[in-house]
Amino acid sequence: MLMTDIALKLFDNMYYLVSMVLFIIGFHTMLTHSNLIKKVIGMNVMDTAIFLFFVSTGYVTGGVAPIIEPGVEQTYINPLPTALILTGIVVAVSVTAFALALIVKLYHHYGTIDAEEIMRIRSTE
Amino acid sequence: MTTAINIIQGHSPALIVVTFLLFSYLTPVLDIWKKNWCAPLAIAAHVIALIFTGNLAWKVFTTGTVVYHMGNWAPPWGIEFVVDYLAVFMLITITVVSLLILIFATKDLGHELKDKVRSWYYTLYLLLVGAMIGLTITNDFFNMFVFMEIAAMAACGIIAIKEDKECVEASLKYLILSAVGTGCVLLSVAMLYMVTGHLNFTFAAEALIPALELYPNNILVALALFSAGFIVKAALFPLHVWLPDAHSSAPSPSSAILSGLVIKIYAYAYLKLLLKVFPGDIFSIVPIYDMILILASLSIFFGSVFAIVQEDIKRMLAFSSIAQIGYVFLGIGLANQAGLTGGVLHIFNHALMKSMLFLSAGAIIYCTGIRKIDQLKGIGAKMPLVMGVFSVGAMAMVGIPTTNGFISKLYLALGTLDAGKPFYLGVILLSSFLNVIYYFPIVINAFFGEPEGEEGNEIKVKNLPLQMSIPLLILAAGVMFFGVFPKHMLILVERAVAMF
């Protein structure tokens, strides 16, 4: 397959491509950064990528929200993923809030939010 | 009156979850003006759940699988709860073990937690148990995801509630890694939804068979993400890093429920989805069973090796949990009748013995304040009951006949021979030896060792309250009973496994 073909295919599935790139960025940030706040941001980017992916599975090109008007012929998008992701966002918000609360507690105990620094303090204690 | 009972019976799969959620929201309200009602209320929730479980078990045994549609919406659209033999098995395990741990907790918490947060502990505990029960009986992908997140948050909550440095750090580590796990699972759900258009397990399974021809890559990626997610949650070997800290620093009842039940529930969900939802043909494309077997044996081996070098008794038990969850996955990986029976039965058996060991470690800490293994010399004479119970647990871990650990190891061993993989029989035997190395010195030192230190520097021992000794005795009796008379549990497990 030619490079242009691949590029065209990827362009056709833009949303999936972008969400995968975002997922990897989030995952990488979460696992490699030692700053705990950055870890939480990475977690949020990862969650958002999944939400984008899930919502775009329900999207139909040219479709509108499924509010049915009698007599009007239209294509509708699949509303189910959108409704599910609403719940997903709520879950992600609560996980973030809990993680931030824990980080505040850790800051009170150690005076830093760097995971490696905390490891160092713990090993010298 | 009878109509009311009939209505309640008809809704029992939903009500069992609702009971826990309702009572968990009642406890903080009661906390304001009737503080000492919280513990009895939590126990009452468990008793109600036990009645529902009994009712469901009776219905499943007499009329077959119970199906419940949330809000009367039929399956492809609505959320469906399905209670089959396997679910009944898990329901019994969860309700019985968590009730016993809760009775222990009512006394132990006063010692481990601040007054202010004690009734909040029951809220989180009930939320966790309710989420686990929901996870057991749900038949819907997204519902499963929501229950997984509730369970993860509540589990992190009952670790962090102690508010000291180690607990907060362990809890944050657990929260971040479990967010990775649930993230992977949700992405996998999205990929499956893309190709099947269904969230219901049964419908998705049907739609996946033709979909595998059309979109094999999608389903393979979904399987990979899904396995990674559940393996993080169940703490199999290379992804176990969160478990030792989380399980050892938490209050003892939390450790008991986390090690005894929470990691098992993910192994159960993995087993159910792998065998029921993913089409059989996919296993000829990727050797997923062999991968599980390799991870399980690594987990069994390294869990035990790490446990040997630990100095803290609860940390040792936590590493031992990693080894024991390996047995459950070994049963899944063998994927034959005997192997699965052994693996599934080990969920119940390990729930009994590990919660018993964590609770007896908690009792030792409650009475003497000792956590280090080498300070436990001669403690058997002072606390014969607790150390006796601990010895029963140690023997069950090794798999000595007349304890229930023997039965599940026997079935796993038979499963390895049936599958024609005697190498894994060697893994099971090796692991039993390793278990002897780290469990028996504690028992021998406790009963026959001379306590160190000068005269007059004796360890002070508090009396063990009745609420703490009775759960320990019941669990020890259970371990022995199901070792001598395994028939009742085996009937249930064999019927559960026959579904696959």
Side-chain angles (χ1 to χ4, degrees):
Chain A
M1 212 190 294
L2 285 170
M3 285 303 278
T4 44
D5 281 354
I6 296 175
L8 261 177
K9 273 204 168 152
L10 286 178
F11 187 75
D12 280 346
N13 295 307
M14 188 70 142
Y15 298 119
Y16 298 149
L17 176 69
V18 170
S19 63
M20 282 304 121
V21 170
L22 273 178
F23 184 82
I24 291 164
I25 292 173
F27 204 77
H28 185 262
T29 315
M30 195 161 165
L31 296 184
T32 54
H33 281 265
S34 66
N35 186 321
L36 291 172
I37 299 284
K38 282 187 186 167
K39 269 187 201 290
V40 174
I41 292 172
M43 188 172 86
N44 272 300
V45 171
M46 197 182 90
D47 280 342
T48 313
I50 298 167
F51 298 156
L52 174 62
F53 185 87
F54 215 134
V55 169
S56 53
T57 58
Y59 183 68
V60 181
T61 317
V64 294
I67 302 161
I68 294 169
E69 286 174 49
V72 183
E73 280 290 312
Q74 259 176 330
T75 28
Y76 297 112
I77 63 155
N78 180 359
L80 185 73
T82 324
L84 294 180
I85 288 318
L86 213 55
T87 316
I89 290 171
V90 173
V91 170
V93 166
S94 46
V95 171
T96 311
F98 188 28
L100 290 175
L102 287 176
I103 292 171
V104 170
K105 274 261 176 255
L106 270 185
Y107 185 75
H108 280 307
H109 282 306
Y110 292 100
T112 173
I113 50 165
D114 192 289
E116 277 168 19
E117 192 80 356
I118 290 173
M119 287 282 274
R120 209 176 49 75
I121 294 172
R122 278 191 69 176
S123 60
T124 53
E125 263 172 6
Chain B
M1 189 61 203
T2 44
T3 48
I5 289 175
N6 276 336
I7 289 171
I8 289 174
Q9 268 198 3
H11 291 287
S12 49
L15 281 177
I16 192 169
V17 181
V18 170
T19 312
F20 281 109
L21 297 184
L22 178 73
F23 277 73
S24 80
Y25 296 130
L26 277 181
T27 41
V29 177
L30 272 181
D31 178 39
I32 299 166
W33 50 283
K34 284 263 187 273
K35 243 186 171 42
N36 45 2
W37 281 22
C38 293
L41 207 68
I43 290 175
H46 275 80
V47 172
I48 295 171
L50 263 181
I51 294 167
F52 280 130
T53 307
N55 179 256
L56 280 171
W58 176 73
K59 269 201 269 188
V60 169
F61 268 97
T62 50
T63 58
T65 307
V66 176
V67 177
Y68 180 81
H69 299 155
M70 275 289 177
N72 251 344
W73 288 90
W77 302 283
I79 293 170
E80 191 184 29
F81 277 4
V82 172
V83 186
D84 46 23
Y85 284 109
L86 192 60
V88 163
F89 167 78
M90 286 308 288
L91 284 180
I92 293 172
T93 311
I94 293 170
T95 42
V96 172
V97 174
S98 77
L99 175 63
L100 291 172
I101 296 172
L102 183 70
I103 295 171
F104 184 93
T106 52
K107 256 295 180 268
D108 187 54
L109 290 180
H111 157 76
E112 297 210 50
L113 298 182
K114 289 177 196 146
D115 265 352
K116 204 175 61 185
V117 292
R118 208 176 304 150
S119 41
W120 287 96
Y121 185 88
Y122 298 113
T123 312
L124 291 168
Y125 189 93
L126 291 175
L127 213 53
L128 178 60
V129 179
M132 282 198 291
I133 285 176
L135 202 52
T136 309
I137 57 182
T138 184
N139 205 33
D140 184 277
F141 275 118
F142 199 76
N143 202 226
M144 179 189 78
F145 162 76
V146 172
F147 278 129
M148 270 169 81
E149 285 284 21
I150 298 175
M153 299 267 282
C156 290
I158 59 171
I159 298 167
I161 198 162
K162 217 165 137 189
E163 290 188 66
D164 60 4
K165 285 181 193 174
E166 288 86 27
C167 290
V168 175
E169 207 190 331
S171 176
L172 186 67
K173 204 190 239 176
Y174 182 23
L175 189 69
I176 286 179
L177 278 170
S178 87
V180 174
T182 37
C184 287
V185 171
L186 187 61
L187 191 57
S188 143
V189 169
M191 296 222 169
L192 291 178
Y193 182 73
M194 231 169 123
V195 295
T196 62
H198 287 297
L199 287 169
N200 187 289
F201 290 169
T202 327
F203 285 80
E206 272 169 29
L208 271 175
I209 296 168
L212 187 62
E213 307 259 309
L214 297 169
Y215 316 100
N217 293 338
N218 236 351
I219 298 174
L220 281 178
V221 172
L223 179 65
L225 283 168
F226 174 81
S227 302
F230 274 102
I231 284 173
V232 170
K233 295 289 243 175
L236 214 57
F237 167 62
L239 304 171
H240 69 279
V241 283
W242 58 268
L243 186 140
D245 286 343
H247 288 197
S248 63
S249 60
S252 303
S254 307
S255 314
I257 193 168
L258 289 173
S259 252
L261 297 173
V262 176
I263 54 173
K264 309 293 164 34
I265 204 83
Y266 298 115
Y268 157 83
Y270 186 61
L271 164 73
K272 195 167 88 171
L273 293 184
L274 195 64
L275 295 183
K276 267 186 166 174
V277 175
F278 283 97
D281 293 343
I282 202 167
F283 302 119
S284 57
I285 307 176
V286 268
I288 184 85
Y289 288 132
D290 290 331
M291 291 179 194
I292 295 174
L293 280 177
I294 291 167
L295 286 181
S297 26
L298 283 175
S299 189
I300 291 172
F301 181 71
F302 283 104
S304 302
V305 168
F306 289 142
I308 291 172
V309 296
Q310 298 307 319
E311 289 172 349
D312 183 311
I313 184 162
K314 278 177 78 176
R315 216 174 155 75
M316 184 205 85
L317 292 174
F319 272 108
S320 156
S321 280
I322 297 170
Q324 300 288 326
I325 197 75
Y327 284 120
V328 178
F329 275 90
L330 193 69
I332 298 174
L334 289 171
N336 56 20
Q337 185 79 24
L340 276 176
T341 309
V344 173
L345 188 63
H346 203 65
I347 293 180
F348 174 73
N349 288 347
H350 183 245
L352 284 188
M353 39 195 191
K354 190 43 72 62
S355 51
M356 181 170 89
L357 284 168
F358 264 118
L359 292 186
S360 48
I364 292 171
I365 296 169
Y366 177 87
C367 293
T368 63
I370 295 175
R371 286 181 72 112
K372 291 267 177 290
I373 289 173
D374 50 1
Q375 291 172 355
L376 287 175
K377 280 180 185 159
I379 203 144
K382 285 174 188 142
M383 306 175 66
L385 187 137
V386 174
M387 277 321 289
V389 166
F390 191 90
S391 319
V392 171
M395 287 197 283
M397 282 287 166
V398 176
I400 287 174
T402 74
T403 57
N404 60 4
F406 172 69
I407 308 290
S408 37
K409 279 193 183 175
L410 179 69
Y411 271 86
L412 280 174
L414 289 175
T416 57
L417 294 179
D418 281 354
K421 289 168 181 154
F423 170 73
Y424 295 104
L425 182 61
V427 172
I428 295 174
L429 288 177
L430 176 70
S431 138
S432 296
F433 279 122
L434 291 173
N435 282 347
V436 172
I437 293 176
Y438 60 88
Y439 276 115
F440 279 22
I442 301 177
V443 174
I444 292 169
N445 277 333
F447 282 111
F448 305 111
E450 287 296 315
E452 284 172 15
E454 305 88 53
E455 289 294 316
N457 204 7
E458 292 261 301
I459 312 159
K460 289 195 178 59
V461 179
K462 272 198 271 181
N463 274 335
L464 194 67
L466 212 58
Q467 285 100 316
M468 289 168 84
S469 53
I470 285 176
L472 282 176
L473 282 175
I474 295 175
L475 284 168
V479 166
M480 300 299 274
F481 179 82
F482 289 108
V484 182
F485 307 104
K487 199 179 79 189
H488 308 287
M489 225 49 199
L490 274 175
I491 290 173
L492 184 56
V493 173
E494 268 165 4
R495 284 193 191 188
V497 168
M499 295 186 315
F500 297 125

